[in-house]
Amino acid sequence: DSYSYFLWAKDISSGDLWGSKAFMKWPLYAYFLGLLLKLFKDNLASVYLFQYLLGAINCVLVYFIARRIFNQMAGLIAGLLCAWCGLFIFYDSLLIYTNLSLFLNSLLFLFILGIEEKPDNNKLFWLGIFLGICLIAQASIALFGILAIIWVLKKQGVSWRKLSYKFLFFLFGLGIIVGSVTLKNFLAEKDFVLIAGNVGFNFYSGNNPEANGTFYCPPNVALNQEDMFRDSRIIASAETGRSLKTSEVSGFWFKKSLAYIRDEPGKWLGLLSRKI
């Protein structure tokens, strides 16, 4: 994954900003890395140092989040635990989206806590913009972000009609960012790929009869990223008996996952508990 993002970022830093195909991976990190490569003249040591700095700042953000929700001592403990978390340090050392995503998600959390007392329409719009940015860094934050906004609005004790009206401002901001990425993908392939074309296959790799809670690569699929996308498309086309667009390939793997969840709900819940 790191090598794939590095090559993509090199193309971006060299001036190929849009590419010729729909995004297959979360795009924001590639542009972020491309900017760092441009600024640091391809010096990877400087890039890693910058990512370590983001990781350190994230510990401070976690401190402020916990302090606001609980108290200063809780904030200090949370910040120290974040600083000592081996998994965070490990991902700071990789050229993939996790470091940037964690940083942005912590900022998002602080943003939500900052507006919870007075979520006016303007703040909700900008929060939608910011959640959209978090989504194109790593879209798994979507469910939390949307439910958090509903929670903030419900705390105001407003009617469902007013809640829905205010929620539209948030959705408008969110739609601007996500819609822009979807439009880029459509112009590239004449196919409606919401953010990235790998979502369905990624979901299947973690939710299938052979999954055990860690990364699982199905049989006949290569382990490197580009070949994995190629093989997942070949398998999907072979099983459906026709050539598939990127969104259809993603939908094919989603359907296989949903069929497994529907047919074996108990086993899937056990799998989910192991992940948690």
Side-chain angles (χ1 to χ4, degrees), residues 109-164:
F109 207 133
L110 276 176
F111 195 172
I112 293 171
L113 291 172
I115 74 160
E116 66 172 319
E117 297 301 326
K118 192 177 180 182
D120 60 47
N121 296 339
N122 186 55
K123 290 176 182 175
L124 288 168
F125 169 78
W126 286 107
L127 184 56
I129 291 282
F130 195 76
L131 178 59
I133 293 170
C134 292
L135 257 61
I136 61 175
Q138 187 180 8
S140 54
I141 192 64
L143 182 62
F144 166 79
I146 292 170
L147 291 177
I149 298 310
I150 294 173
W151 169 75
V152 166
L153 293 174
K154 282 297 293 177
K155 281 187 66 178
Q156 309 306 306
V158 298
S159 65
W160 276 104
R161 184 176 180 180
K162 190 171 183 180
L163 185 153
S164 300

Short mmCIF file of all heavy atoms in Angstrom, two decimals, residues 109-164:
data_model
loop_
_atom_site.label_atom_id
_atom_site.label_comp_id
_atom_site.label_asym_id
_atom_site.label_seq_id
_atom_site.Cartn_x
_atom_site.Cartn_y
_atom_site.Cartn_z
N PHE A 109 -13.68 15.59 15.88
CA PHE A 109 -14.27 15.37 17.19
C PHE A 109 -14.29 16.67 18.00
O PHE A 109 -15.32 17.03 18.62
CB PHE A 109 -13.47 14.30 17.94
CG PHE A 109 -14.27 13.52 18.94
CD1 PHE A 109 -14.18 12.14 18.99
CD2 PHE A 109 -15.09 14.15 19.85
CE1 PHE A 109 -14.89 11.41 19.93
CE2 PHE A 109 -15.81 13.43 20.79
CZ PHE A 109 -15.71 12.05 20.83
N LEU A 110 -13.18 17.40 17.98
CA LEU A 110 -13.12 18.68 18.69
C LEU A 110 -14.09 19.69 18.10
O LEU A 110 -14.72 20.47 18.82
CB LEU A 110 -11.70 19.24 18.64
CG LEU A 110 -10.73 18.73 19.70
CD1 LEU A 110 -9.33 19.30 19.45
CD2 LEU A 110 -11.19 19.12 21.11
N PHE A 111 -14.21 19.69 16.78
CA PHE A 111 -15.14 20.58 16.09
C PHE A 111 -16.57 20.30 16.56
O PHE A 111 -17.33 21.23 16.88
CB PHE A 111 -15.00 20.37 14.58
CG PHE A 111 -15.63 21.44 13.72
CD1 PHE A 111 -15.42 21.44 12.36
CD2 PHE A 111 -16.42 22.44 14.26
CE1 PHE A 111 -15.99 22.41 11.55
CE2 PHE A 111 -16.99 23.42 13.46
CZ PHE A 111 -16.78 23.40 12.11
N ILE A 112 -16.95 19.02 16.62
CA ILE A 112 -18.30 18.65 17.05
C ILE A 112 -18.54 19.09 18.49
O ILE A 112 -19.59 19.66 18.82
CB ILE A 112 -18.51 17.13 16.89
CG1 ILE A 112 -18.50 16.74 15.41
CG2 ILE A 112 -19.82 16.69 17.55
CD1 ILE A 112 -18.48 15.25 15.15
N LEU A 113 -17.56 18.84 19.37
CA LEU A 113 -17.71 19.25 20.76
C LEU A 113 -17.80 20.77 20.88
O LEU A 113 -18.46 21.30 21.77
CB LEU A 113 -16.52 18.73 21.59
CG LEU A 113 -16.46 17.22 21.81
CD1 LEU A 113 -15.13 16.84 22.46
CD2 LEU A 113 -17.63 16.74 22.64
N GLY A 114 -17.14 21.48 19.97
CA GLY A 114 -17.13 22.94 20.02
C GLY A 114 -18.44 23.57 19.61
O GLY A 114 -18.75 24.70 20.02
N ILE A 115 -19.24 22.87 18.80
CA ILE A 115 -20.50 23.47 18.33
C ILE A 115 -21.72 22.88 19.04
O ILE A 115 -22.85 23.31 18.77
CB ILE A 115 -20.68 23.29 16.82
CG1 ILE A 115 -21.04 21.84 16.47
CG2 ILE A 115 -19.46 23.75 16.04
CD1 ILE A 115 -21.67 21.67 15.12
N GLU A 116 -21.53 21.91 19.95
CA GLU A 116 -22.69 21.19 20.48
C GLU A 116 -23.64 22.09 21.26
O GLU A 116 -24.84 21.83 21.31
CB GLU A 116 -22.24 20.02 21.36
CG GLU A 116 -21.51 20.40 22.63
CD GLU A 116 -21.29 19.20 23.53
OE1 GLU A 116 -22.21 18.38 23.65
OE2 GLU A 116 -20.21 19.09 24.11
N GLU A 117 -23.13 23.17 21.86
CA GLU A 117 -24.01 24.07 22.63
C GLU A 117 -24.83 24.98 21.72
O GLU A 117 -25.95 25.35 22.06
CB GLU A 117 -23.18 24.92 23.59
CG GLU A 117 -22.43 24.10 24.64
CD GLU A 117 -23.36 23.27 25.49
OE1 GLU A 117 -24.50 23.70 25.75
OE2 GLU A 117 -22.96 22.15 25.88
N LYS A 118 -24.27 25.34 20.55
CA LYS A 118 -24.97 26.26 19.65
C LYS A 118 -24.69 25.88 18.20
O LYS A 118 -23.89 26.53 17.53
CB LYS A 118 -24.55 27.70 19.92
CG LYS A 118 -25.45 28.73 19.23
CD LYS A 118 -25.04 30.15 19.58
CE LYS A 118 -25.94 31.16 18.89
NZ LYS A 118 -25.50 32.56 19.20
N PRO A 119 -25.33 24.83 17.70
CA PRO A 119 -25.09 24.38 16.33
C PRO A 119 -25.90 25.19 15.31
O PRO A 119 -26.92 24.72 14.81
CB PRO A 119 -25.52 22.91 16.36
CG PRO A 119 -26.61 22.88 17.38
CD PRO A 119 -26.26 23.92 18.42
N ASP A 120 -25.45 26.41 15.01
CA ASP A 120 -26.20 27.21 14.03
C ASP A 120 -25.93 26.69 12.62
O ASP A 120 -25.06 25.85 12.38
CB ASP A 120 -25.84 28.70 14.15
CG ASP A 120 -24.37 28.99 13.91
OD1 ASP A 120 -23.81 28.48 12.92
OD2 ASP A 120 -23.77 29.73 14.71
N ASN A 121 -26.70 27.20 11.67
CA ASN A 121 -26.64 26.68 10.30
C ASN A 121 -25.27 26.84 9.66
O ASN A 121 -24.80 25.97 8.93
CB ASN A 121 -27.70 27.37 9.44
CG ASN A 121 -29.11 27.06 9.91
OD1 ASN A 121 -29.34 26.07 10.61
ND2 ASN A 121 -30.06 27.90 9.56
N ASN A 122 -24.62 27.97 9.93
CA ASN A 122 -23.30 28.22 9.35
C ASN A 122 -22.28 27.20 9.86
O ASN A 122 -21.49 26.63 9.08
CB ASN A 122 -22.84 29.64 9.70
CG ASN A 122 -21.55 30.01 9.00
OD1 ASN A 122 -21.44 29.92 7.78
ND2 ASN A 122 -20.56 30.43 9.78
N LYS A 123 -22.29 26.93 11.17
CA LYS A 123 -21.36 25.95 11.74
C LYS A 123 -21.64 24.55 11.21
O LYS A 123 -20.72 23.78 10.94
CB LYS A 123 -21.46 25.96 13.27
CG LYS A 123 -20.92 27.23 13.92
CD LYS A 123 -21.15 27.21 15.42
CE LYS A 123 -20.64 28.49 16.07
NZ LYS A 123 -20.96 28.53 17.52
N LEU A 124 -22.92 24.22 11.05
CA LEU A 124 -23.29 22.90 10.55
C LEU A 124 -22.81 22.72 9.10
O LEU A 124 -22.35 21.65 8.71
CB LEU A 124 -24.79 22.69 10.63
CG LEU A 124 -25.34 22.49 12.04
CD1 LEU A 124 -26.87 22.58 12.04
CD2 LEU A 124 -24.90 21.14 12.60
N PHE A 125 -22.90 23.78 8.32
CA PHE A 125 -22.41 23.73 6.94
C PHE A 125 -20.91 23.45 6.91
O PHE A 125 -20.45 22.56 6.18
CB PHE A 125 -22.72 25.05 6.22
CG PHE A 125 -22.03 25.18 4.89
CD1 PHE A 125 -22.52 24.52 3.77
CD2 PHE A 125 -20.89 25.97 4.76
CE1 PHE A 125 -21.89 24.64 2.54
CE2 PHE A 125 -20.25 26.10 3.54
CZ PHE A 125 -20.75 25.42 2.43
N TRP A 126 -20.14 24.18 7.72
CA TRP A 126 -18.69 23.99 7.71
C TRP A 126 -18.28 22.65 8.33
O TRP A 126 -17.28 22.05 7.94
CB TRP A 126 -18.00 25.15 8.43
CG TRP A 126 -18.00 26.38 7.58
CD1 TRP A 126 -18.74 27.51 7.75
CD2 TRP A 126 -17.24 26.58 6.38
NE1 TRP A 126 -18.50 28.41 6.75
CE2 TRP A 126 -17.58 27.87 5.89
CE3 TRP A 126 -16.32 25.83 5.67
CZ2 TRP A 126 -17.00 28.39 4.72
CZ3 TRP A 126 -15.76 26.33 4.51
CH2 TRP A 126 -16.10 27.60 4.05
N LEU A 127 -19.11 22.18 9.25
CA LEU A 127 -18.85 20.85 9.80
C LEU A 127 -19.06 19.78 8.72
O LEU A 127 -18.31 18.80 8.63
CB LEU A 127 -19.76 20.58 10.99
CG LEU A 127 -19.53 19.26 11.73
CD1 LEU A 127 -18.09 19.14 12.20
CD2 LEU A 127 -20.47 19.14 12.92
N GLY A 128 -20.07 19.98 7.87
CA GLY A 128 -20.29 19.08 6.74
C GLY A 128 -19.11 19.09 5.79
O GLY A 128 -18.68 18.03 5.30
N ILE A 129 -18.57 20.28 5.52
CA ILE A 129 -17.38 20.40 4.68
C ILE A 129 -16.23 19.60 5.28
O ILE A 129 -15.54 18.83 4.60
CB ILE A 129 -16.96 21.88 4.53
CG1 ILE A 129 -17.98 22.67 3.68
CG2 ILE A 129 -15.55 22.00 3.95
CD1 ILE A 129 -17.87 22.45 2.20
N PHE A 130 -16.03 19.77 6.60
CA PHE A 130 -14.89 19.12 7.25
C PHE A 130 -15.07 17.61 7.30
O PHE A 130 -14.11 16.85 7.11
CB PHE A 130 -14.67 19.68 8.65
CG PHE A 130 -13.33 19.32 9.21
CD1 PHE A 130 -12.18 19.97 8.77
CD2 PHE A 130 -13.19 18.32 10.15
CE1 PHE A 130 -10.93 19.63 9.26
CE2 PHE A 130 -11.95 17.97 10.65
CZ PHE A 130 -10.81 18.63 10.20
N LEU A 131 -16.30 17.15 7.55
CA LEU A 131 -16.53 15.70 7.54
C LEU A 131 -16.26 15.14 6.14
O LEU A 131 -15.71 14.05 6.00
CB LEU A 131 -17.96 15.36 7.97
CG LEU A 131 -18.31 13.87 7.95
CD1 LEU A 131 -17.40 13.06 8.87
CD2 LEU A 131 -19.77 13.63 8.33
N GLY A 132 -16.63 15.90 5.11
CA GLY A 132 -16.35 15.46 3.74
C GLY A 132 -14.86 15.28 3.51
O GLY A 132 -14.43 14.32 2.87
N ILE A 133 -14.06 16.20 4.05
CA ILE A 133 -12.60 16.08 3.94
C ILE A 133 -12.11 14.82 4.66
O ILE A 133 -11.25 14.09 4.16
CB ILE A 133 -11.92 17.34 4.50
CG1 ILE A 133 -12.24 18.55 3.61
CG2 ILE A 133 -10.40 17.16 4.62
CD1 ILE A 133 -11.81 19.88 4.19
N CYS A 134 -12.68 14.56 5.85
CA CYS A 134 -12.32 13.34 6.58
C CYS A 134 -12.70 12.09 5.80
O CYS A 134 -11.97 11.10 5.81
CB CYS A 134 -13.02 13.31 7.94
SG CYS A 134 -12.44 14.57 9.11
N LEU A 135 -13.83 12.13 5.09
CA LEU A 135 -14.29 10.98 4.32
C LEU A 135 -13.35 10.64 3.17
O LEU A 135 -13.13 9.46 2.89
CB LEU A 135 -15.69 11.23 3.77
CG LEU A 135 -16.85 10.55 4.51
CD1 LEU A 135 -16.93 11.02 5.94
CD2 LEU A 135 -18.17 10.81 3.79
N ILE A 136 -12.81 11.65 2.51
CA ILE A 136 -11.93 11.34 1.38
C ILE A 136 -10.51 10.98 1.87
O ILE A 136 -9.67 10.58 1.08
CB ILE A 136 -11.89 12.47 0.34
CG1 ILE A 136 -11.36 13.77 0.92
CG2 ILE A 136 -13.27 12.66 -0.26
CD1 ILE A 136 -11.20 14.87 -0.13
N ALA A 137 -10.31 11.12 3.20
CA ALA A 137 -9.07 10.58 3.80
C ALA A 137 -9.27 9.12 4.18
O ALA A 137 -8.39 8.29 4.01
CB ALA A 137 -8.66 11.39 5.03
N GLN A 138 -10.44 8.79 4.73
CA GLN A 138 -10.83 7.41 5.05
C GLN A 138 -12.30 7.43 5.43
O GLN A 138 -12.68 8.00 6.45
CB GLN A 138 -9.99 6.84 6.20
CG GLN A 138 -10.24 5.37 6.45
CD GLN A 138 -9.40 4.81 7.59
OE1 GLN A 138 -8.73 5.54 8.30
NE2 GLN A 138 -9.43 3.51 7.76
N ALA A 139 -13.12 6.79 4.61
CA ALA A 139 -14.57 6.99 4.69
C ALA A 139 -15.24 6.28 5.86
O ALA A 139 -16.43 6.47 6.09
CB ALA A 139 -15.23 6.56 3.38
N SER A 140 -14.50 5.47 6.62
CA SER A 140 -15.14 4.75 7.74
C SER A 140 -15.61 5.68 8.85
O SER A 140 -16.36 5.27 9.72
CB SER A 140 -14.17 3.71 8.32
OG SER A 140 -12.94 4.30 8.67
N ILE A 141 -15.20 6.95 8.80
CA ILE A 141 -15.65 7.92 9.80
C ILE A 141 -17.09 8.39 9.53
O ILE A 141 -17.71 9.04 10.37
CB ILE A 141 -14.70 9.14 9.84
CG1 ILE A 141 -14.95 10.03 11.06
CG2 ILE A 141 -14.83 9.95 8.56
CD1 ILE A 141 -14.69 9.38 12.38
N ALA A 142 -17.65 8.03 8.38
CA ALA A 142 -18.94 8.57 7.95
C ALA A 142 -20.06 8.31 8.96
O ALA A 142 -20.80 9.21 9.33
CB ALA A 142 -19.32 8.00 6.58
N LEU A 143 -20.18 7.05 9.40
CA LEU A 143 -21.28 6.69 10.29
C LEU A 143 -21.19 7.48 11.59
O LEU A 143 -22.20 8.03 12.07
CB LEU A 143 -21.26 5.18 10.58
CG LEU A 143 -22.38 4.66 11.46
CD1 LEU A 143 -23.73 4.89 10.81
CD2 LEU A 143 -22.19 3.17 11.75
N PHE A 144 -19.98 7.55 12.18
CA PHE A 144 -19.82 8.31 13.42
C PHE A 144 -20.20 9.78 13.20
O PHE A 144 -20.92 10.37 13.99
CB PHE A 144 -18.38 8.23 13.93
CG PHE A 144 -18.09 9.27 14.98
CD1 PHE A 144 -18.49 9.08 16.29
CD2 PHE A 144 -17.45 10.46 14.65
CE1 PHE A 144 -18.24 10.04 17.26
CE2 PHE A 144 -17.20 11.43 15.61
CZ PHE A 144 -17.60 11.21 16.92
N GLY A 145 -19.68 10.37 12.13
CA GLY A 145 -19.90 11.80 11.89
C GLY A 145 -21.36 12.14 11.75
O GLY A 145 -21.85 13.11 12.35
N ILE A 146 -22.09 11.35 10.98
CA ILE A 146 -23.50 11.64 10.75
C ILE A 146 -24.31 11.44 12.02
O ILE A 146 -25.15 12.28 12.38
CB ILE A 146 -24.03 10.76 9.59
CG1 ILE A 146 -23.37 11.20 8.28
CG2 ILE A 146 -25.55 10.85 9.49
CD1 ILE A 146 -23.63 10.26 7.12
N LEU A 147 -24.06 10.33 12.74
CA LEU A 147 -24.80 10.09 13.99
C LEU A 147 -24.47 11.14 15.05
O LEU A 147 -25.34 11.55 15.84
CB LEU A 147 -24.48 8.69 14.53
CG LEU A 147 -25.02 7.52 13.72
CD1 LEU A 147 -24.56 6.19 14.32
CD2 LEU A 147 -26.55 7.56 13.66
N ALA A 148 -23.21 11.62 15.05
CA ALA A 148 -22.82 12.64 16.03
C ALA A 148 -23.58 13.93 15.79
O ALA A 148 -24.00 14.61 16.75
CB ALA A 148 -21.31 12.89 15.94
N ILE A 149 -23.79 14.31 14.54
CA ILE A 149 -24.53 15.54 14.24
C ILE A 149 -25.99 15.40 14.64
O ILE A 149 -26.59 16.33 15.18
CB ILE A 149 -24.41 15.89 12.74
CG1 ILE A 149 -22.95 16.16 12.38
CG2 ILE A 149 -25.25 17.12 12.40
CD1 ILE A 149 -22.24 17.12 13.30
N ILE A 150 -26.57 14.23 14.39
CA ILE A 150 -27.96 14.00 14.82
C ILE A 150 -28.05 14.12 16.34
O ILE A 150 -28.99 14.71 16.88
CB ILE A 150 -28.44 12.62 14.32
CG1 ILE A 150 -28.51 12.60 12.79
CG2 ILE A 150 -29.79 12.27 14.94
CD1 ILE A 150 -28.82 11.24 12.20
N TRP A 151 -27.05 13.56 17.05
CA TRP A 151 -27.02 13.65 18.52
C TRP A 151 -26.94 15.11 18.98
O TRP A 151 -27.65 15.53 19.91
CB TRP A 151 -25.82 12.86 19.04
CG TRP A 151 -25.50 13.08 20.49
CD1 TRP A 151 -26.17 12.58 21.57
CD2 TRP A 151 -24.42 13.86 21.02
NE1 TRP A 151 -25.58 13.00 22.74
CE2 TRP A 151 -24.51 13.79 22.43
CE3 TRP A 151 -23.40 14.60 20.44
CZ2 TRP A 151 -23.61 14.44 23.26
CZ3 TRP A 151 -22.50 15.26 21.26
CH2 TRP A 151 -22.61 15.17 22.66
N VAL A 152 -26.06 15.89 18.33
CA VAL A 152 -25.92 17.31 18.69
C VAL A 152 -27.24 18.05 18.50
O VAL A 152 -27.66 18.84 19.36
CB VAL A 152 -24.80 17.96 17.84
CG1 VAL A 152 -24.87 19.48 17.92
CG2 VAL A 152 -23.43 17.48 18.28
N LEU A 153 -27.91 17.79 17.39
CA LEU A 153 -29.17 18.48 17.11
C LEU A 153 -30.28 18.03 18.06
O LEU A 153 -31.09 18.85 18.51
CB LEU A 153 -29.58 18.25 15.66
CG LEU A 153 -28.67 18.89 14.60
CD1 LEU A 153 -29.09 18.48 13.20
CD2 LEU A 153 -28.71 20.42 14.74
N LYS A 154 -30.32 16.74 18.39
CA LYS A 154 -31.35 16.25 19.31
C LYS A 154 -31.18 16.85 20.70
O LYS A 154 -32.15 17.04 21.44
CB LYS A 154 -31.29 14.72 19.39
CG LYS A 154 -31.93 14.01 18.21
CD LYS A 154 -33.43 14.30 18.11
CE LYS A 154 -34.19 13.69 19.27
NZ LYS A 154 -35.64 14.02 19.21
N LYS A 155 -29.92 17.14 21.09
CA LYS A 155 -29.67 17.74 22.41
C LYS A 155 -30.31 19.12 22.54
O LYS A 155 -30.56 19.59 23.65
CB LYS A 155 -28.16 17.88 22.64
CG LYS A 155 -27.47 16.61 23.06
CD LYS A 155 -26.02 16.86 23.44
CE LYS A 155 -25.91 17.72 24.70
NZ LYS A 155 -24.52 17.94 25.10
N GLN A 156 -30.58 19.76 21.39
CA GLN A 156 -31.18 21.09 21.43
C GLN A 156 -32.67 21.05 21.75
O GLN A 156 -33.28 22.08 22.03
CB GLN A 156 -30.97 21.81 20.08
CG GLN A 156 -29.54 21.81 19.59
CD GLN A 156 -28.57 22.36 20.61
OE1 GLN A 156 -28.74 23.47 21.12
NE2 GLN A 156 -27.54 21.57 20.93
N GLY A 157 -33.25 19.84 21.69
CA GLY A 157 -34.67 19.70 22.00
C GLY A 157 -35.59 20.30 20.95
O GLY A 157 -36.73 20.66 21.25
N VAL A 158 -35.12 20.41 19.70
CA VAL A 158 -35.93 21.00 18.64
C VAL A 158 -36.84 19.93 18.04
O VAL A 158 -36.63 18.73 18.23
CB VAL A 158 -35.04 21.62 17.54
CG1 VAL A 158 -34.19 22.74 18.11
CG2 VAL A 158 -34.15 20.57 16.88
N SER A 159 -37.85 20.38 17.31
CA SER A 159 -38.76 19.45 16.65
C SER A 159 -38.03 18.72 15.52
O SER A 159 -36.99 19.17 15.03
CB SER A 159 -39.95 20.22 16.08
OG SER A 159 -39.52 21.10 15.04
N TRP A 160 -38.61 17.60 15.09
CA TRP A 160 -38.01 16.84 13.99
C TRP A 160 -37.98 17.68 12.72
O TRP A 160 -37.04 17.56 11.92
CB TRP A 160 -38.79 15.55 13.75
CG TRP A 160 -38.36 14.45 14.67
CD1 TRP A 160 -39.03 13.99 15.77
CD2 TRP A 160 -37.15 13.69 14.60
NE1 TRP A 160 -38.33 12.99 16.39
CE2 TRP A 160 -37.16 12.77 15.68
CE3 TRP A 160 -36.07 13.68 13.73
CZ2 TRP A 160 -36.14 11.87 15.91
CZ3 TRP A 160 -35.04 12.78 13.95
CH2 TRP A 160 -35.07 11.89 15.02
N ARG A 161 -38.96 18.54 12.55
CA ARG A 161 -38.98 19.38 11.34
C ARG A 161 -37.82 20.36 11.34
O ARG A 161 -37.13 20.51 10.32
CB ARG A 161 -40.31 20.14 11.28
CG ARG A 161 -40.48 20.98 10.02
CD ARG A 161 -41.86 21.61 9.98
NE ARG A 161 -42.02 22.41 8.78
CZ ARG A 161 -43.14 23.08 8.48
NH1 ARG A 161 -44.18 23.01 9.31
NH2 ARG A 161 -43.21 23.79 7.37
N LYS A 162 -37.58 21.01 12.48
CA LYS A 162 -36.47 21.96 12.56
C LYS A 162 -35.13 21.22 12.52
O LYS A 162 -34.16 21.70 11.93
CB LYS A 162 -36.57 22.78 13.85
CG LYS A 162 -35.59 23.94 13.89
CD LYS A 162 -35.85 24.87 15.06
CE LYS A 162 -34.89 26.06 15.02
NZ LYS A 162 -35.14 26.99 16.16
N LEU A 163 -35.08 20.05 13.15
CA LEU A 163 -33.85 19.24 13.12
C LEU A 163 -33.50 18.89 11.67
O LEU A 163 -32.34 18.98 11.26
CB LEU A 163 -34.05 17.98 13.95
CG LEU A 163 -32.84 17.06 14.15
CD1 LEU A 163 -32.98 16.29 15.47
CD2 LEU A 163 -32.70 16.04 13.01
N SER A 164 -34.53 18.48 10.91
CA SER A 164 -34.29 18.10 9.52
C SER A 164 -33.81 19.30 8.70
O SER A 164 -32.92 19.17 7.84
CB SER A 164 -35.57 17.53 8.89
OG SER A 164 -36.01 16.39 9.61
#
